[in-house]
Amino acid sequence: MSDRSDATPGRDDEFDPVSFLEDAVPIASHESVEAMRELVVETLATRATDPVVDADGCVLAEKRSPAPDSGPHLVLNTHLDTVTPHVPFERGEASADERGGPEADAAAGEAVIRGRGACDAKGPLAALLAGFLAADPERGRITLALTPDEEALSLGAAALTGRLPGTDDRLDGDLFLVGEPTGLDACTAAKGRFQATVELSGTAAHAAEFAGANAVAAAEDALAAIRAFDADAADHPQLGSPKLTPTVIEGGAATNQVPADCEITVDRRSVPPESAEEFRESLAAAVRASLGDGAGEDSGDVDTAVALTDRESPFLEAFATESDHELVRTVAAAARDAGDAVGLPSGRGGGVRPFGAATEASYFAPAPTVVFGPGDLADESGAVAHAEREYVRVREVEAAAATVERALSTLLG
């Protein structure tokens, strides 16, 4: 833990994002975010921002300008939870695979912070806190909205945005900046993720007889429909093509019996404007068409249905923000300036591209949304976020904090 005993409560400029991150990463937040939430609330409260914890476990804080209606309402969002298992905190010199790339030699001696949440998403959280605490908007307002369960069902974010039955949109933001590890690039879009089950229902019979309706045999045609599902799909200008992957298949109960049931679970990575229900309807039609009069001589008539996996919150659908939107241009330019100021390698940060994973940014669309933060989902040596080697470079945390500060000043100054 870092020693901040000489910090002066109530002074926004005393907040150090790296020291905060050193305090945050040791806190296990894969099973409960309570301790992590307490750290954030204390950090905000000692700086006179009057944070609120709502009934769904979200932390909310606001800064209003003297003219809140004359500018945009900008929402800063990231999550407090991490995936399991907890990985201990360590600060040290970057290893060869953490330096990586053509600038590896130049980065020798660079400091990194390792541990669960270092980049996903406590590093981005530190940067958003720095920007929020430093902000003094002249117009518009800023809301900091930190959610407790992004790595699970995103119930907190769904309730905040009115996506759950019986809830209202309590954010009503004009612009959203979402903290995730993007390598300091401004990410303008991400594919959605749906999950569904193709259910094939036949009739059981003795395997020695030409009787029954074989659900497992019907799976052959269902899988063919899955493989061909996106054959005519148009590429999205930012996200490219959608992807449909069969991931689990289950069927049959005995080795000498024609199986009556088979289920195929599929993973869908969508692009706009496809919704979860539109995907379900289209896949159901494609599978029905593939079965025709039956799949094979022993299959007879097999019924099919496609059901979305039950979950309490809506699926994270794809989103896309125009690459030339003011929010995108502002964040990207600020990231390039901040990267130069801390001496990051040329080309590190400040790009504009899609994000590689589904996020709660989905719930904020269609409002202009940018995903941004220090660290990477993966580097040249493999997975970083969610991996046992999770880390973030200290200079990138500093650059990310400066980026958020500059962007807020530009957008609300």
Side-chain angles (χ1 to χ4, degrees), residues 255-279:
T255 59
N256 60 350
Q257 181 186 52
V258 172
D261 299 294
C262 183
E263 292 187 349
I264 305 168
T265 301
V266 296
D267 176 283
R268 177 60 166 174
R269 303 296 163 145
S270 66
V271 301
E274 183 182 70
S275 70
E277 181 56 29
E278 288 169 344
F279 161 68

Side-chain angles (χ1 to χ4, degrees), residues 44-99:
L44 292 168
T46 57
R47 291 164 174 81
T49 59
D50 197 21
V52 172
V53 178
D54 72 7
D56 300 294
C58 301
V59 178
L60 300 169
E62 185 181 67
K63 283 192 173 185
R64 286 177 173 261
S65 73
D69 296 327
S70 68
H73 177 201
L74 195 154
V75 178
L76 305 176
N77 160 261
T78 192
H79 56 97
L80 302 173
D81 61 325
T82 58
V83 296
T84 189
H86 182 66
V87 177
F89 163 80
E90 180 186 5
R91 174 168 176 155
E93 182 178 327
S95 64
D97 64 346
E98 290 166 342
R99 295 195 298 268

Side-chain angles (χ1 to χ4, degrees), residues 203-214 258 296-300:
T203 304
H206 197 291
E209 298 296 325
F210 291 96
N214 193 322
V258 172
E297 295 180 358
D298 60 348
S299 66

Side-chain angles (χ1 to χ4, degrees), residues 222-311:
L223 288 168
I226 290 169
R227 285 193 297 271
F229 185 71
D230 290 315
D232 298 324
D235 283 358
H236 185 272
Q238 296 183 62
L239 294 169
S241 60
K243 190 174 188 291
L244 181 60
T245 305
T247 55
V248 178
I249 187 166
E250 297 178 298
T255 59
N256 60 350
Q257 181 186 52
V258 172
D261 299 294
C262 183
E263 292 187 349
I264 305 168
T265 301
V266 296
D267 176 283
R268 177 60 166 174
R269 303 296 163 145
S270 66
V271 301
E274 183 182 70
S275 70
E277 181 56 29
E278 288 169 344
F279 161 68
R280 188 202 66 77
E281 292 177 354
S282 297
L283 181 59
V287 172
R288 282 196 301 269
S290 75
L291 295 183
D293 295 328
E297 295 180 358
D298 60 348
S299 66
D301 293 326
V302 173
D303 294 327
T304 182
V306 175
L308 294 170
T309 301
D310 287 337
R311 54 179 278 156

